[in-house]
Amino acid sequence: MSTAHLTPASQLSPAWKLAYDTLVAKTRRNIAGMAAQPTTWSWDADGDYSKWNEGFHEIGNWTSSFITGMALIAWGETEDDHFIRHVLELDPHYREKLGRHAVDTMHDLGFLYSLHSVALHKLTGGESHRVLALRAAEVLAARFIPEGRYIRAWGRMDDTGGEWDAMAIIDCMMNLPLLYWASVETGDPRFKEIATRHADTTLACFIRGDDSVFHAYRFDPVTGAPTTGENYCGHGKDSHWARGTAWAIYGFAMSHRHTGDERYLDASLRVARRFVSLLDAEVVPVWDFRLPDDPALHIRDSSAASIAVCGIQELEALGHADETLLAAKHALLDRLCTADYLDTDLAVRGTLKHGQVGNPVKAYTSWGDYYLMEALARESGMMIPWW
């Protein structure tokens, strides 16, 4: 197998290199653990992701592939087949999830299969991985609601009239690369058309006039007309959830890369500049930028910081990150790589402390770890080809 698309890490500051090496070392243990116990490996207050009690095939699983994505970065860095061997051991579970469990999937098929099947196809050329990734794209495309021009976020597609019907969320911007890839891979424009229509709807409905971002939006279940902003992850419907803002920065930047549409670039830049303008002396953002005046609620979200760094890196790669954004990128990485946020204890599975997962609940998060590792890999010059 070839790692030709990856370049090992080289020039990182000592603090960044320590963080990167810690992530590689912990991933060595974690990917073997998840292969032996294939559950969702999501978040944990004490950093033990293996304790998360959710089956791999359950509809709520959106996080397993953050571990496989980290393992593939580690493989590119070390060329140690330990990492890819355990990723490949998970193949039957990924196949079964799109087999008899396909009805119990949601829009986060992009997170799951870009960081597993697309990545494996691009890195190894394996045809079976390509076939599985295209199957994931088909299942994701089937969630598209033509009347409203959006991808339904949650719930089984045969479950209508309930709470999860007729709703999209900002996170889905990160799932669109699976559809862009499938369109190029098959020559079928339908996948790209679905992705761009969803991106257009997100642009029209989710970004407010002050460049803050709704977490979710509801649509009329019959006509598809947008009805109202909604919230499930921020503090409130009219609040400004930091991690959702980071998803928007990175997601719109990638949609620009895949389409060339300047509107998506403009959206990413506007949201990024708003995000950076709201950072305080702590640098790592509070989990929601519109919290009430209650100190107990004002916790930080390290995962929002690591995702935002990756989004700024994408803008930088596109040639559109100005000095203010680049300074924020470095400041965020510097802060995340301090002992306040970085856990270097190899006995603890998690690495990045103080990720927000509730209102207010903080924990180690597998997605925070993944995006920190991706950010450090990108800073070192490594290519991340699966988005």
Side-chain angles (χ1 to χ4, degrees), residues 89-103:
E89 286 174 7
L90 289 160
D91 271 12
H93 302 284
Y94 280 90
R95 294 184 190 288
E96 189 175 357
K97 192 167 181 68
L98 292 179
R100 63 191 180 94
H101 295 285
V103 294

Side-chain angles (χ1 to χ4, degrees), residues 288-315:
D288 192 302
F289 293 119
R290 291 180 181 161
L291 292 171
D293 221 8
D294 179 355
L297 293 176
H298 284 244
I299 64 173
R300 304 287 163 165
D301 185 4
S302 59
S303 72
S306 63
I307 298 160
V309 169
C310 292
I312 294 171
Q313 287 173 325
E314 184 68 19
L315 289 168

Side-chain angles (χ1 to χ4, degrees), residues 63-249:
T63 56
S64 295
S65 294
F66 294 122
I67 305 297
T68 65
M70 293 172 72
L72 293 173
I73 292 174
W75 180 48
E77 168 64 23
T78 65
E79 299 186 349
D80 185 341
D81 284 348
H82 166 93
F83 295 102
I84 194 165
R85 182 173 70 253
H86 289 302
V87 172
L88 293 172
E89 286 174 7
L90 289 160
D91 271 12
H93 302 284
Y94 280 90
R95 294 184 190 288
E96 189 175 357
K97 192 167 181 68
L98 292 179
R100 63 191 180 94
H101 295 285
V103 294
D104 290 317
T105 56
M106 57 173 177
H107 73 148
D108 283 330
L109 287 163
F111 280 122
L112 287 170
Y113 287 86
S114 291
L115 291 170
H116 179 267
S117 304
V118 173
L120 283 169
H121 172 63
K122 288 192 172 187
L123 296 176
T124 72
E127 179 62 16
S128 64
H129 305 306
R130 175 183 180 273
V131 171
L132 187 58
L134 290 174
R135 167 66 177 157
E138 286 281 2
V139 177
L140 177 58
R143 300 189 68 83
F144 183 67
I145 308 298
E147 296 81 4
R149 299 167 63 92
Y150 67 91
I151 295 170
R152 177 177 165 178
W154 294 329
R156 289 172 53 135
M157 294 303 287
D158 59 1
D159 180 11
T160 58
E163 183 178 6
W164 310 129
D165 195 13
M167 187 177 71
I169 66 174
I170 192 64
D171 316 39
C172 195
M173 289 302 300
M174 296 296 298
N175 294 314
L176 302 185
L178 176 64
L179 298 177
Y180 293 127
W181 169 83
S183 199
V184 171
E185 198 67 23
T186 63
D188 187 344
R190 177 175 61 97
F191 295 107
K192 183 177 181 180
E193 287 169 2
I194 288 172
T196 55
R197 287 173 183 171
H198 178 86
D200 287 349
T201 299
T202 306
L203 182 61
C205 296
F206 282 70
I207 301 180
R208 305 182 183 103
D210 63 356
D211 299 330
S212 63
V213 179
F214 281 109
H215 168 243
Y217 218 90
R218 290 200 178 275
F219 300 84
D220 185 286
V222 177
T223 68
T227 57
T228 184
E230 186 57 274
N231 168 70
Y232 284 89
C233 290
H235 183 264
K237 186 179 294 189
D238 296 318
S239 65
H240 187 187
W241 182 44
R243 184 163 16 117
T245 303
W247 293 139
I249 296 167

